[in-house]
Amino acid sequence: MRRLVAGLVLALAVAGAPGVAVAAPEREKWDTRVFSLVPPPGYPAYVHAHSNGRVYAGTYLARDPRRASTPSKVVEWSAGGTLLRSWTVPGQDLDADHGVQVAHETADGELVLLEISRSRVMTLDTRTGRFRTVARLPEGAVPNFATWGPRGLYVTDYGDGVIWRVRRDGRVQEWFRAPELDGVAGFGTTGIRWMKGRRELLVAQQTLGTGATLPTNGALLRLPVDRRGRPGELSTLWTSAPGDLPDGFGVARSGHVYVALAGLAAQLVELDARGREVARFPEVPLSGDNGSEVPFDTPSSATFLGTSVLVANQSAVAGEPSHQAILDVEVGERGRPDFLPRRARFRQRLRSPA
């Protein structure tokens, strides 16, 4: 008994001793903290956790007329949320809708950007600050999210029911088109992720205009790809509630999928590998009350960093600068790394869309 008491006293003394590291208490699931506010012009839509350990986001479509003529920026943070640097995107048409999405990275570490005013795929070398246009989608395309997959980069089009494939030489192909991707009232195709082990793409759709459900229902869709890189038959993994507007999503190692709902619900939804709903956070929709000082306000993506997902809080409708932030939401499990093949890079020469 005396040994037990002595051991306890020693343990308490060590825990309180200066200079002795004490493990941080584990966070509860759904604990939400502000990772960082997003500087003007704001409106982040996706967060990219880079293999270099840093975090990047672009400023997307600014609805605030006071910021509408401001060029978009790419912003860099440390893994702890410290703002490090930013770069202004060159060559935008500032009289048109303009924004930039940090969608992925290349095998040699350059950022892959989607720029909407001129429908461009760009890269940014963060070591030199050099931007380069590597492909142009057809006029009117609205590049939204992207993933590397078989034989190139796959890009969703928010304004049309198309998935584009961008090859390494900059050639652009209309790779897949389907009525399910058309959307209703302009709410189209959003997140996309290549699932290498299953040889399929997961694709998020904000609204479905096919008549199979209410037109305000969205979905998470599955699209198999054969060994020759050809798309198979589209199927539905999960159907959202009306007005949810599923946007970007992250996939855990367990197979669970965390989807940001950019609609009125203002929630994250957790799905199991079969597409069944496990949980919604917050449990009560509409308020966005996540327990942090910044409520969910158009949460637009969920990117894994450690055992958390980073949520881009866009505030697309309200345009509230104090809500335009990256939020850190603990989910208690780790994510699958983004697919990044060794040939994930672009050649120097820009080609016209095919």
Side-chain angles (χ1 to χ4, degrees):
M1 181 68 179
R2 281 181 294 179
R3 288 184 181 178
L4 179 60
V5 172
L8 243 137
V9 171
L10 179 61
L12 291 171
V14 170
V20 176
V22 179
E26 289 187 7
R27 295 168 61 185
E28 292 185 1
K29 187 168 183 176
W30 305 122
D31 175 58
T32 301
R33 304 172 183 180
V34 177
F35 180 80
S36 178
L37 296 179
V38 176
Y43 297 88
Y46 179 66
V47 187
H48 178 63
H50 199 285
S51 58
N52 66 10
R54 296 183 178 182
V55 171
Y56 299 86
T59 63
Y60 208 57
L61 181 60
R63 298 293 183 186
D64 185 342
R66 295 169 296 178
R67 302 184 185 185
S69 60
T70 304
S72 303
K73 290 184 178 180
V74 174
V75 186
E76 178 188 70
W77 292 270
S78 72
T82 300
L83 179 63
L84 300 175
R85 296 180 289 177
S86 66
W87 300 264
T88 300
V89 179
Q92 291 187 294
D93 181 355
L94 299 183
D95 293 325
D97 286 346
H98 56 281
V100 69
Q101 189 97 293
V102 181
H104 214 305
E105 64 186 90
T106 65
D108 48 3
E110 294 188 349
L111 299 180
V112 176
L113 312 177
L114 305 177
E115 194 281 311
I116 66 173
S117 75
R118 301 189 188 276
S119 303
R120 295 179 293 176
V121 180
M122 307 177 72
T123 57
L124 168 60
D125 187 336
T126 60
R127 296 165 298 181
T128 64
R130 180 192 177 200
F131 288 83
R132 183 164 60 94
T133 298
V134 296
R136 287 192 176 91
L137 306 185
E139 185 177 355
V142 185
N144 200 4
F145 286 78
T147 184
W148 289 103
R151 305 182 185 185
L153 184 78
Y154 293 76
V155 181
T156 60
D157 190 333
Y158 192 65
D160 199 359
V162 177
I163 296 174
W164 304 98
R165 181 165 64 184
V166 181
R167 296 181 180 272
R168 295 175 62 236
D169 61 3
R171 287 184 297 165
V172 177
Q173 171 193 10
E174 184 183 299
W175 180 76
F176 182 76
R177 179 183 288 272
E180 291 89 342
L181 303 184
D182 283 335
V184 176
F187 296 101
T189 312
T190 52
I192 188 169
R193 181 77 179 268
W194 172 244
M195 306 297 289
K196 181 182 177 183
R198 304 205 297 253
R199 290 202 61 82
E200 66 181 14
L201 290 164
L202 290 182
V203 183
Q205 181 70 23
Q206 287 195 336
T207 57
L208 293 165
T210 57
T213 64
L214 291 173
T216 52
N217 289 104
L220 186 64
L221 306 169
R222 300 170 63 176
L223 182 60
V225 181
D226 68 19
R227 296 287 176 182
R228 299 179 64 180
R230 298 175 301 191
E233 184 175 346
L234 196 65
S235 64
T236 301
L237 182 66
W238 165 77
T239 302
S240 81
D244 275 348
L245 303 183
D247 213 324
F249 58 88
V251 182
R253 293 177 183 176
S254 66
H256 284 210
V257 184
Y258 295 81
V259 187
L261 304 179
L264 294 176
Q267 293 171 305
L268 292 180
V269 61
E270 178 186 357
L271 311 175
D272 69 13
R274 295 184 180 182
R276 297 173 297 195
E277 285 199 22
V278 175
R280 285 185 175 231
F281 174 73
E283 290 185 5
V284 179
L286 303 178
S287 73
D289 184 6
N290 54 34
S292 82
E293 56 266 42
V294 176
F296 286 149
D297 182 356
T298 325
S300 297
S301 58
T303 300
F304 271 93
L305 183 67
T307 60
S308 299
V309 291
L310 298 181
V311 176
N313 214 42
Q314 194 174 7
S315 191
V317 177
E320 173 52 56
S322 66
H323 290 179
Q324 291 169 353
I326 309 301
L327 302 177
D328 177 328
V329 183
E330 176 67 33
V331 296
E333 59 178 326
R334 294 186 177 273
R336 293 187 181 185
D338 287 342
F339 179 62
L340 187 63
R342 287 178 294 176
R343 292 168 59 85
R345 54 173 58 89
F346 298 100
R347 298 174 190 165
Q348 292 294 325
R349 186 179 177 187
L350 172 65
R351 303 241 182 136
S352 300

